[in-house]
Amino acid sequence: MFQKVSIDTLQKYSQDSIRLVTLDKKIKRIARAKQYDSAIFHTYRILKLSERLSDSTAIAKSHYRLAYYNLQMHKLKEAYLHYNNAYKCFAQMGDSLAASARLCSMARIQKRLGDFSGSRLTALDALRYVENTSHYEEICNVYEMIAVSHSEQKNYNEALKWISRVRVIIANSIFSKKINVKEIPSYNNTVGLILTNLGRYNESIAIFEALLKDSIVLNNEGSYAMILSNLGLTKWKADPENQESEKMLLEGLAGRQKVNSVSGQIAANVFLTKYYYKKNKKKALHYALDALENSEKLKNPAAIMETLDLIIPLKKELGLSLKEEALLYSTSSNSLDEVKQKVRRIYATNKYDHDKLTKDNLILKAETAKEEAQKTFYLAALIIAILCIGYVVYYKNQQKKREKLEETHKAEMRFSRKIHDELGNDIFYLMTQIQNKNTPLKDMEAVNVLEGLNSVYNKARDISKEYTSIDTGNKYGTELIALLNSYGNEKIKIITTQLAVNFWDKVSGENKINLYRILQELLTNMTKHSEASLVGVTFSKEKRKIIVKYVDNGIGIDPSTFNFGNGLQNVENRLHSMNGSINFESKPKRGLTVMLMFTI
C-alpha cells in the first residue's frame, strides 16, 4: 500500500512539474505581447503549483513576475506586495543579490509614491545584502537609489556623498569590468542633476555635455532626450536669458514623445512649465496640463499632485476655473494617502520579518560561533597537552643524555687521574730507582729497560691528556689549537688556521667537547697508522653549519677493507649526537681527507 501511494505521489509531482514548464512558456509568450492581465492570471496558477511542490525558487520567481506585471499596469500597491514576497523568499534561500534587487524595486515604488524617507530606508536595507560583496553593479544601483531619495528631500550634499561612492567604483578599473557600462551614463546623469540642485552649474553642464557625446547615449534616443532636457534646464537655471535652453527643452520633449516614454514626457513637460512660468503663463499651463494627462495615464497620484501644484496657481493667475483641479487634487491626495498607508503597512511587516530573520540569523551565527569556539578551545587544549607531553619527554631524554655524558666525563677524569697518579708515578719511581742503582745493568739491558719504561710513561701521559677536562669557554679555541699542535714533532708537521676570537661562540659546550674528542681520535689514529708527515686541519662556517676538514699525506685507507674500529666508531657516535655527518675520501698510499659537518 505504501509503495502504491509513493508512486502516485511521484506521478502527480511529475505531472505538476510538466505543467509548470508548459505554463512558464505560455506566460513568456503572453508577456511579450504585453497582455499583462492574462500573464498575471497564469502566473497565479504557477504560484499555486509551486507552493504544492514546495519549490522555493519557483515561488520566488512567481512573486517577482506578479510584481513586474502589476507594475506595468501601474498597480503600485500590488507590485510592492509581490516584490516584498519575492524578497522574503530570496532572503530565506540565502540569495543576497536577488534579495537586494527586490528591495531596490520596492524603494523605487516608494519613490514614485513620494515616500522618499521610506524609499531611502528600504534602499539601506537592500545595501545590507550586498555591501562588502563583489556585486558591484547592484551596490551602485542601491547607492544611486539612496542618493536620489536624499535629493528628493533636498538633502543635496548627502545625495552627492552617496552618488560619489558610485563614481569611485566606476573609476576603479578593477571594478568597472564588473559593471554594465550601459548603466554608467545613468549614474553620471544623477550626479549632474544633484550638482544642478546644489547650484554647481558649470560642473553639471560639463557632465551633461560629455554625456551627449557618449556612444552609449548617442545610440539610445530616450537617454539622449533625457540628458538634453536636463542640460537645457541646468543652462536656464544658470542663466535665465540663455538662448539655448528653450531649444534643448523642446527637443528633449520631442525625443521622449518619439520613444513614447510617458514618465519622461511628464518630466520634460514639468521642465517646460517651469521655464515658461514667468515668461508665458499660457504656454506654461499648456505643458503643465500635458504633464497632468501623462500622470493620469500612469495612475501615479504623486505625479498628479506635483503637476496640480503647478496648474492651480497658473489657473488662478489666468483667472480660470479650478473646480476640476480641486476635485482631482482631493481625490488624488486621498488615493495617494491610501496607497502610502498600505505600502507602509507592508513595509512595516516586511521590516519586522527582516529584523526577525536577521536576529534569528545572528542568534544562529552566535550559537555556531560558540560551538566553533568550544571546538577550537578543546583542539587547542589537546595540542597544548600533546606539546607539553612531547616537551617533557624530550627534556627528560636530553637530561638523561646530559647526565650520561657527565658521568662519562667524570669516569674519564677519574680514570685519567688514576693512570697518572698511580701508574705514571709508580713507573717514574721505578725508572728513578734503576737509574740510581749501585750495581748498573748491562748497557744494552739498561737502554732497553729505560726505553720501555719511557714508552710506558709516555702512554700513561697521553691517556691522561686524552681524558683531561676541556675548557668550553673563551679559551676553547686556544685549547683546540694547542691539542692539534701537540701531535706535531720532528717527523709530523701540523698545519692549521688562526680563527676569529668569536668563531666558537654559538657552538654549545657539549658540541665543543665532542669536536675536541673527535679531532683527538683522528690525530691519534694518524700518529699510529698513517705514516703521514704533513697534516692540515681547517675550520669554516657556512650559514648555520661548522665544517672541519682534515687532510694528511699518509698511506691512506683501502675502502674495500676499511672498517670502523672502536675509536672511529666513537667518532661516528659523537657526530650522530651532534646531528652531524662525516665523509672519508682516500685511496691507498694517496693520503686521507675527512670532512666533518655539524649544525650550530
Side-chain angles (χ1 to χ4, degrees):
M1 183 67 179
F2 177 79
Q3 187 177 6
K4 185 176 185 300
V5 171
S6 297
I7 292 172
D8 287 346
T9 303
L10 185 61
Q11 287 176 341
K12 187 173 182 180
Y13 185 92
S14 178
Q15 289 171 358
D16 285 344
S17 297
I18 293 169
R19 288 175 66 194
L20 273 177
V21 174
T22 305
L23 279 170
D24 187 68
K25 291 179 180 178
K26 184 175 183 179
I27 290 169
K28 287 179 180 177
R29 188 173 63 253
I30 294 169
R32 280 194 295 269
K34 297 186 178 181
Q35 298 173 5
Y36 296 120
D37 275 330
S38 180
I40 289 171
F41 173 78
H42 291 295
T43 303
Y44 269 117
R45 293 175 63 193
I46 283 186
L47 178 59
K48 296 299 180 185
L49 282 171
S50 302
E51 290 172 343
R52 188 189 304 168
L53 294 169
S54 299
D55 187 338
S56 299
T57 303
I59 292 169
K61 188 177 178 181
S62 296
H63 280 298
Y64 170 63
R65 280 180 166 177
L66 287 167
Y68 176 78
Y69 300 146
N70 275 289
L71 190 61
Q72 297 308 306
M73 297 177 69
H74 315 301
K75 296 180 179 180
L76 302 183
K77 181 192 69 176
E78 291 79 1
Y80 189 93
L81 175 63
H82 287 293
Y83 274 133
N84 179 60
N85 290 335
Y87 149 70
K88 288 192 286 189
C89 290
F90 285 121
Q92 288 171 354
M93 289 190 293
D95 189 339
S96 59
L97 179 59
S100 176
R102 300 299 79 80
L103 282 169
C104 217
S105 297
M106 293 161 66
R108 289 190 186 95
I109 291 174
Q110 287 172 291
K111 174 181 167 291
R112 282 182 64 174
L113 291 170
D115 185 5
F116 305 118
S117 179
S119 175
R120 178 173 54 82
L121 291 174
T122 305
L124 286 169
D125 280 341
L127 186 59
R128 296 179 192 177
Y129 285 94
V130 289
E131 200 169 28
N132 301 321
T133 71
S134 59
H135 302 309
Y136 301 113
E137 189 172 333
E138 181 61 23
I139 292 171
C140 287
N141 289 337
V142 177
Y143 283 164
E144 184 185 31
M145 191 72 251
I146 296 170
V148 169
S149 297
H150 276 297
S151 183
E152 292 289 354
Q153 292 180 294
K154 302 189 186 321
N155 299 325
Y156 300 124
N157 286 315
E158 194 68 19
L160 186 62
K161 184 173 76 174
W162 281 95
I163 201 64
S164 294
R165 296 183 183 185
V166 177
R167 301 187 83 185
V168 169
I169 293 175
I170 292 171
N172 191 314
S173 60
I174 297 173
F175 296 158
S176 61
K177 294 176 183 177
K178 297 185 179 181
I179 297 172
N180 186 349
V181 293
K182 292 182 179 179
E183 298 295 330
I184 294 175
S186 173
Y187 302 139
N188 287 329
N189 178 66
T190 302
V191 175
L193 287 173
I194 293 170
L195 290 172
T196 296
N197 287 321
L198 281 168
R200 292 161 61 175
Y201 301 121
N202 290 336
E203 295 174 64
S204 179
I205 288 168
I207 289 173
F208 291 135
E209 287 180 341
L211 284 172
L212 291 175
K213 297 174 185 177
D214 189 292
S215 59
I216 296 171
V217 175
L218 289 169
N219 291 323
N220 187 314
E221 290 182 286
S223 293
Y224 188 89
M226 173 185 70
I227 293 164
L228 190 63
S229 287
N230 292 338
L231 178 59
L233 179 71
T234 303
K235 287 198 170 189
W236 169 68
K237 283 189 172 185
D239 179 11
E241 303 303 321
N242 187 289
Q243 298 299 313
E244 297 178 294
S245 301
E246 183 179 17
K247 182 182 176 183
M248 288 180 176
L249 290 169
L250 290 170
E251 286 181 3
L253 175 59
R256 286 170 157 178
Q257 288 171 336
K258 185 178 178 181
V259 297
N260 196 28
S261 170
V262 180
S263 59
Q265 288 178 61
I266 295 171
N269 278 308
V270 169
F271 287 175
L272 282 163
T273 301
K274 292 178 180 179
Y275 176 81
Y276 286 117
Y277 198 94
K278 291 183 179 180
K279 295 181 179 183
N280 190 329
K281 294 197 183 318
K282 286 186 177 180
K283 273 191 176 183
L285 181 59
H286 166 73
Y287 289 113
L289 290 171
D290 282 351
L292 178 60
E293 183 182 347
N294 285 315
S295 299
E296 289 180 304
K297 282 182 184 178
L298 287 181
K299 299 178 183 177
N300 187 335
I304 292 171
M305 297 282 289
E306 182 183 2
T307 54
L308 285 173
D309 284 336
L310 293 170
I311 291 169
I312 290 172
L314 279 169
K315 279 199 167 187
K316 275 185 180 180
E317 291 186 33
L318 292 169
L320 300 174
S321 173
L322 293 171
K323 289 182 180 178
E324 291 183 13
E325 285 71 18
L327 181 60
L328 180 58
Y329 194 95
S330 176
T331 305
S332 299
S333 178
N334 292 334
S335 175
L336 182 60
D337 287 341
E338 181 185 352
V339 175
K340 275 186 178 180
Q341 288 300 323
K342 288 180 180 178
V343 164
R344 282 172 183 167
R345 281 197 294 271
I346 294 169
Y347 176 77
T349 305
N350 169 63
K351 182 73 175 169
Y352 171 79
D353 291 341
H354 170 76
D355 291 345
K356 187 175 185 300
L357 182 63
T358 303
K359 184 179 179 181
D360 291 343
N361 286 338
L362 288 173
I363 292 170
L364 180 61
K365 285 180 181 178
E367 290 175 351
T368 304
K370 186 178 179 180
E371 290 176 4
E372 290 296 325
Q374 287 177 339
K375 289 178 182 177
T376 303
F377 173 77
Y378 294 141
L379 180 61
L382 179 62
I383 292 171
I384 291 170
I386 292 170
L387 289 174
C388 289
I389 292 168
Y391 175 76
V392 170
V393 171
Y394 173 80
Y395 178 78
K396 290 292 184 183
N397 287 337
Q398 292 301 311
Q399 190 178 38
K400 286 180 181 178
K401 285 182 181 179
R402 284 193 296 271
E403 289 173 354
K404 188 175 181 182
L405 190 62
E406 287 175 4
E407 288 176 5
T408 302
H409 290 162
K410 287 177 182 178
E412 289 173 348
M413 291 181 68
R414 285 196 303 271
F415 183 60
S416 171
R417 282 195 297 269
K418 190 176 183 71
I419 290 174
H420 186 273
D421 296 345
E422 297 179 13
L423 177 61
N425 288 339
D426 288 349
I427 293 172
F428 185 76
Y429 176 76
L430 180 59
M431 289 171 60
T432 304
Q433 291 298 315
I434 292 173
Q435 285 176 325
N436 295 331
K437 191 174 180 181
N438 293 327
T439 306
L441 296 171
K442 293 179 180 179
D443 291 341
M444 285 301 297
E445 288 177 340
V447 170
N448 289 338
V449 169
L450 285 172
E451 285 183 353
L453 288 171
N454 188 53
S455 175
V456 170
Y457 178 73
N458 286 334
K459 286 180 181 178
R461 187 189 63 190
D462 290 343
I463 291 170
S464 174
K465 180 174 66 176
E466 183 178 352
Y467 291 102
T468 192
S469 61
I470 300 166
D471 187 341
T472 59
N474 294 332
K475 296 182 179 179
Y476 175 76
T478 305
E479 280 205 15
L480 187 63
I481 297 300
L483 169 72
L484 300 179
N485 291 332
S486 71
Y487 284 89
N489 53 43
E490 293 178 357
K491 295 181 180 179
I492 303 171
K493 185 175 183 180
I494 306 295
I495 299 172
T496 187
T497 54
Q498 190 68 32
L499 300 174
V501 177
N502 62 348
F503 184 87
W504 301 103
D505 285 357
K506 293 186 179 180
V507 181
S508 68
E510 185 179 334
N511 282 351
K512 287 178 179 178
I513 293 172
N514 282 327
L515 179 60
Y516 188 98
R517 296 303 185 200
I518 288 167
L519 290 174
Q520 197 172 50
E521 186 67 44
L522 289 175
L523 290 164
T524 300
N525 278 341
M526 175 273 297
T527 305
K528 291 179 180 178
H529 308 298
S530 73
E531 301 178 14
S533 61
L534 186 64
V535 177
V537 182
T538 60
F539 306 90
S540 61
K541 283 183 184 178
E542 285 187 12
K543 295 182 180 178
R544 292 183 56 81
K545 292 184 181 295
I546 295 286
I547 300 169
V548 183
K549 186 175 182 180
Y550 167 93
V551 180
D552 71 35
N553 65 347
I555 60 174
I557 57 176
D558 185 350
S560 62
T561 60
F562 175 74
N563 58 17
F564 285 98
N566 287 336
L568 292 180
Q569 187 65 55
N570 288 338
V571 168
E572 187 182 39
N573 291 340
R574 287 182 187 277
L575 276 168
H576 181 72
S577 70
M578 298 164 70
N579 291 322
S581 62
I582 185 168
N583 183 39
F584 292 89
E585 293 182 10
S586 178
K587 290 184 179 179
K589 299 182 180 180
R590 293 190 182 180
L592 173 67
T593 299
V594 181
M595 293 290 292
L596 304 173
M597 186 182 296
F598 64 93
T599 305
I600 297 175

